Amino acid sequence: MASSREPGTAPRSRPETSSGRHASGDSPAAASAGARPTSRDVARHADVSQATVSLVLGGKWEGRVSPRTAENVRSAARALGYRPNLAARSLRLGRTRTALLVVPALTHDYFARVHTGASRVAAEHDFGVVLYPSPEGTGPAVDPFGSARAALDGVIASSMAPDALAALRDGGQLPLVMLDSDPEADRSPATVNLDIADGMHQAAAHLLELGHVHIAHLAAAVDSWTFGMRARALHEAVAGTAGAVVRTERCALSVEDALRAATRILETRPRPTALVCDDDLLAAGACKAARRLGLRVPEDLSVTGFDDLSLATALEPELTTVRLPAEEVGAEGMRALLAVLDGRRARTPVLPVELVRRGSTASPPAHRT
Amino acid sequence: MASSREPGTAPRSRPETSSGRHASGDSPAAASAGARPTSRDVARHADVSQATVSLVLGGKWEGRVSPRTAENVRSAARALGYRPNLAARSLRLGRTRTALLVVPALTHDYFARVHTGASRVAAEHDFGVVLYPSPEGTGPAVDPFGSARAALDGVIASSMAPDALAALRDGGQLPLVMLDSDPEADRSPATVNLDIADGMHQAAAHLLELGHVHIAHLAAAVDSWTFGMRARALHEAVAGTAGAVVRTERCALSVEDALRAATRILETRPRPTALVCDDDLLAAGACKAARRLGLRVPEDLSVTGFDDLSLATALEPELTTVRLPAEEVGAEGMRALLAVLDGRRARTPVLPVELVRRGSTASPPAHRT
DNA sequence: CTGAAAGCGCTTACAG
DNA sequence: CTGAAAGCGCTTACAG
């Protein structure tokens, strides 16, 4: 429509200006036929140059473009429904304002919440987050770039195994922020951690206070920092209490396997009166095992979880568990990445965690009247 | 290293070839100093033109480039660790080989499985899938492009409300595939559906066979096709059986709200002997409610779920529920999108679902001896 | 069988 | 206060 004097179109005196168009049809010389409008179209409509459009829409116009012109540009953009071509911008800038969030699985809502937190902070900085559930779980992540398909400025990886870290760094020299991972790892980049040890200490202290002495640890057979730490912390805590013992049983990170492992534990004598589980999923399996053996939770057996997934309150009784501030982890991870990208030193906080006491723990049978 | 005769560098006789470099440092005129290698660098190393590199690496060389040259190019690319710049490719091609998968939430592993299926098919076609959990749940999706940050070829949206569909289409004229949605919706694009009605019929038939007559429906208070269908199908099924009645209670899609709603249902007389839940999450709430009221599942109350989330088997007893082939839904959704993108007519299958009988259903009390 | 050139849509010095 | 030009790294007709 309308006022096109077409200022931006003039010079371009190369030979094949018209035969050079090998793109999809319909544009002999002019503008927005139905294709997506470009900044040039906006410029034409506002009767300014493409540079002015870029300045105005990029928010860098003050002192350089008159307010009137700026307003013209904005309304032209609105009228045309202009949205910048991200590919072109990325190519020009060499940056994409996009981070990849690599997580081992999406079956935990823990990771969904990490994503929420990261996205929130990202949005505040006009960044985007692309979620990439690693097909290998906590294992080595296969070239996320092929799969995630976005051009990336950086990577945030949560709870991945050490090898996974290595593979990620190879796939490009991208800045990397690790979440819930070994802070001492080789060439460790920024790390955002949870005070896992304190969480386990709280759980153990709670059980010991209740009077439990025979404690079992249902440990996740996953080679990652976070689970190693859980095991160490539990043993530390119990070792400090005279007469208390821990026995460990390992199992895969699934309800089914936890059910089997918990059954093994509960069939040995003396039967533990409390089961500390590395994860709420495992605690769910433990509760199933108890029920099948005719044991009541928490009267005959106390069970604790870890993570405070939504599963924890879907069960009856609800799980006593360690709540991890998942959203905050994601948010801090994104802040750390932003800092690295800015060349600033990233904070590498250790976030506090909290034991949530619910219905799955109580004093052991012997202690009650 | 080494053999650079630098063929691709010659002409370019514009004035400010050197002052024109406003990018980040270190490249006075030559090549791969430490920055990411480009196709030009590969061309230099292989002593060919950039065009040849593109042809070879793009797999379009046969009959146009000699096998020897092709091999040279490939090894140069390998040696340099070349990976094409996706932004540049997208800009040139106008396509990104990336699809956005919009889901209402990540707390269900149903959606995680949809993603898995979609990614698998996508990978077979050198496509990527970016997952976008809509901040508004099933409600209108806010410009996913701003947030997802990828340049997109198409959108796959699962179980979204009708309004959400509209908003998505506005945000660009992208091809759209709807999953688990009203096939009759206005200007409906390709749709991949589940035979939700049949699933609910199976659940109802199972309960009726067991002898249940007083049935309650714990319905999700979510305005979407899939839940509307669940309600209609249940009423249909029960209407066909003399003497059977359904009473409906609606609640939000959470365990907590389901617990409250189920409690209301179970406190009315005559008390239903079976509770049909729209979702496994709701069924979990129903089981909690039963237990708190001193009712045993399934002896006093049968409960059925829907979806077969991992939650279904985390509970004890495990839930009788309708299993949805989530991965297959994702896979078919991606196939449909690929078809649309190819200008082919998309299949719009209705995938079969299956009732899985587990421990949460049994004959009603009156029927047992 | 291979190379030179154009152009995708942006942003940013630079020159008025 | 504004415009003309270059160039990010690709791919693809086109011309040898």
Side-chain angles (χ1 to χ4, degrees):
Chain A
M1 321 215 109
S3 71
S4 340
R5 220 196 41 195
E6 312 205 4
T9 330
R12 314 245 148 195
S13 50
R14 299 307 184 86
E16 57 292 70
T17 311
S18 63
S19 79
R21 309 212 123 247
H22 21 263
S24 50
D26 90 347
S27 52
S32 48
R36 189 172 163 179
T38 71
S39 64
R40 193 128 89 192
D41 297 322
V42 176
R44 259 197 283 272
H45 275 245
D47 233 353
V48 297
S49 75
Q50 205 189 3
T52 302
V53 172
S54 180
L55 253 18
V56 172
L57 266 23
K60 307 186 174 170
W61 60 278
E62 292 194 84
R64 313 221 254 153
V65 175
S66 70
R68 262 202 63 181
T69 305
E71 186 44 40
N72 284 347
V73 169
R74 271 192 240 96
S75 66
R78 221 174 303 124
L80 292 171
Y82 171 72
R83 285 180 314 119
N85 179 314
L86 259 23
R89 177 181 287 171
S90 298
L91 177 57
R92 174 62 229 237
L93 259 24
R95 290 172 287 106
T96 58
R97 303 191 82 79
T98 302
L100 185 74
L101 175 61
V102 185
V103 301
L106 243 27
T107 42
H108 269 43
D109 50 14
Y110 171 78
F111 296 112
R113 300 206 299 255
V114 170
H115 176 262
T116 301
S119 296
R120 194 186 65 234
V121 170
E124 288 164 9
H125 295 264
D126 196 26
F127 253 72
V129 175
V130 166
L131 185 56
Y132 180 62
S134 169
E136 301 299 319
T138 55
V142 217
D143 177 27
F145 312 103
S147 302
R149 270 302 151 166
L152 268 14
D153 283 352
V155 175
I156 304 176
S158 180
S159 315
M160 302 291 286
D163 337 0
L165 190 156
L168 273 171
R169 300 221 88 178
D170 281 359
Q173 252 27 0
L174 290 177
L176 173 64
V177 172
M178 298 293 289
L179 269 26
D180 188 25
S181 303
D182 187 359
E184 309 297 326
D186 239 19
R187 322 196 281 125
S188 179
T191 305
V192 172
N193 263 332
L194 293 159
D195 199 343
I196 297 295
D198 182 57
M200 197 49 110
H201 288 162
Q202 288 184 50
H206 171 58
L207 259 11
L208 292 168
E209 259 168 43
L210 287 171
H212 292 275
V213 168
H214 290 284
I215 296 175
H217 179 206
L218 197 48
V222 172
D223 174 30
S224 70
W225 175 84
T226 196
F227 289 118
M229 182 57 95
R230 291 173 200 199
R232 275 196 303 284
L234 176 60
H235 284 269
E236 265 169 39
V238 175
T241 301
V245 291
V246 186
R247 131 146 218 245
T248 298
E249 189 79 26
R250 287 163 68 85
C251 66
L253 205 43
S254 75
V255 172
E256 204 184 359
D257 210 46
L259 166 60
R260 279 192 291 266
T263 302
R264 286 196 300 273
I265 293 175
L266 295 173
E267 282 173 341
T268 58
R269 295 294 175 274
R271 191 172 63 216
T273 58
L275 218 41
V276 176
C277 303
D278 262 356
D279 185 291
D280 290 344
L281 232 47
L282 303 189
C287 290
K288 277 177 84 167
R291 189 120 47 210
R292 292 192 179 181
L293 292 171
L295 299 170
R296 292 161 305 161
V297 175
E299 293 82 353
D300 303 315
L301 178 73
S302 286
V303 174
T304 64
F306 215 101
D307 287 1
D308 197 22
L309 306 181
S310 57
L311 173 61
T313 51
L315 299 174
E316 177 67 22
E318 298 182 344
L319 291 177
T320 291
T321 188
V322 176
R323 174 178 297 161
L324 307 184
E327 284 204 29
E328 201 46 32
V329 170
E332 283 294 343
M334 192 65 215
R335 286 191 197 107
L337 182 60
L338 255 10
V340 172
L341 254 18
D342 269 18
R344 307 195 319 267
R345 185 117 187 76
R347 300 176 50 206
T348 56
V350 173
L351 304 176
V353 306
E354 179 198 11
L355 181 74
V356 182
R357 297 161 198 223
R358 299 207 185 92
S360 67
T361 48
S363 290
H367 272 238
R368 280 180 281 110
T369 39
Chain B
M1 295 242 124
S3 72
S4 341
R5 220 195 45 195
E6 313 206 3
T9 331
R12 314 245 147 195
S13 50
R14 299 308 186 86
E16 57 291 70
T17 308
S18 63
S19 80
R21 311 211 121 249
H22 20 264
S24 51
D26 90 347
S27 52
S32 48
R36 189 173 162 179
T38 71
S39 65
R40 191 127 89 192
D41 297 322
V42 176
R44 260 196 284 272
H45 275 244
D47 231 352
V48 298
S49 75
Q50 205 187 3
T52 302
V53 171
S54 181
L55 253 17
V56 171
L57 265 25
K60 306 186 175 172
W61 60 278
E62 291 193 84
R64 314 221 255 153
V65 175
S66 68
R68 262 202 63 181
T69 306
E71 187 43 41
N72 283 347
V73 169
R74 271 192 240 98
S75 66
R78 222 175 301 124
L80 292 171
Y82 171 72
R83 285 180 313 119
N85 179 313
L86 259 25
R89 177 181 286 172
S90 298
L91 178 56
R92 173 62 230 239
L93 259 25
R95 290 171 288 106
T96 57
R97 303 191 83 76
T98 302
L100 185 74
L101 175 61
V102 185
V103 301
L106 244 25
T107 42
H108 269 43
D109 50 15
Y110 172 78
F111 297 113
R113 298 206 300 253
V114 170
H115 176 261
T116 301
S119 296
R120 193 186 65 233
V121 171
E124 289 164 9
H125 296 264
D126 196 26
F127 253 73
V129 174
V130 166
L131 186 55
Y132 180 62
S134 170
E136 300 300 320
T138 55
V142 218
D143 178 24
F145 312 102
S147 302
R149 271 303 152 161
L152 267 16
D153 283 350
V155 175
I156 303 177
S158 179
S159 315
M160 303 291 287
D163 336 0
L165 187 157
L168 273 172
R169 301 223 87 179
D170 281 357
Q173 254 22 5
L174 290 180
L176 174 63
V177 172
M178 298 293 290
L179 269 28
D180 188 25
S181 303
D182 188 359
E184 309 296 326
D186 239 19
R187 324 195 280 125
S188 177
T191 304
V192 171
N193 264 333
L194 293 159
D195 199 343
I196 297 293
D198 181 56
M200 199 48 112
H201 289 161
Q202 289 183 49
H206 171 58
L207 258 12
L208 293 167
E209 260 168 43
L210 287 171
H212 292 274
V213 168
H214 290 283
I215 296 174
H217 180 205
L218 196 49
V222 171
D223 173 30
S224 71
W225 175 84
T226 195
F227 290 118
M229 182 58 93
R230 292 173 200 198
R232 275 196 303 283
L234 176 61
H235 284 270
E236 266 169 38
V238 175
T241 301
V245 292
V246 186
R247 132 147 218 245
T248 299
E249 189 79 28
R250 287 163 68 85
C251 66
L253 204 44
S254 74
V255 172
E256 204 185 358
D257 210 46
L259 166 61
R260 280 192 290 267
T263 303
R264 286 196 300 273
I265 292 175
L266 296 175
E267 281 172 342
T268 57
R269 295 296 175 273
R271 191 172 63 217
T273 57
L275 218 41
V276 175
C277 303
D278 263 357
D279 185 291
D280 290 343
L281 231 47
L282 303 189
C287 290
K288 279 177 81 165
R291 189 121 48 209
R292 292 191 181 182
L293 292 171
L295 299 171
R296 293 160 304 161
V297 175
E299 292 83 353
D300 304 316
L301 178 72
S302 286
V303 174
T304 65
F306 216 101
D307 287 1
D308 198 21
L309 306 181
S310 56
L311 173 61
T313 51
L315 300 174
E316 177 66 24
E318 298 183 344
L319 291 176
T320 291
T321 188
V322 176
R323 172 178 299 161
L324 306 184
E327 284 204 30
E328 201 46 30
V329 170
E332 283 294 344
M334 193 64 214
R335 286 190 196 107
L337 182 60
L338 255 11
V340 172
L341 253 20
D342 268 17
R344 307 196 317 269
R345 186 120 186 72
R347 301 177 50 207
T348 55
V350 174
L351 305 176
V353 305
E354 177 198 11
L355 181 74
V356 182
R357 296 161 197 223
R358 298 205 185 94
S360 68
T361 48
S363 289
H367 271 240
R368 280 180 282 111
T369 39

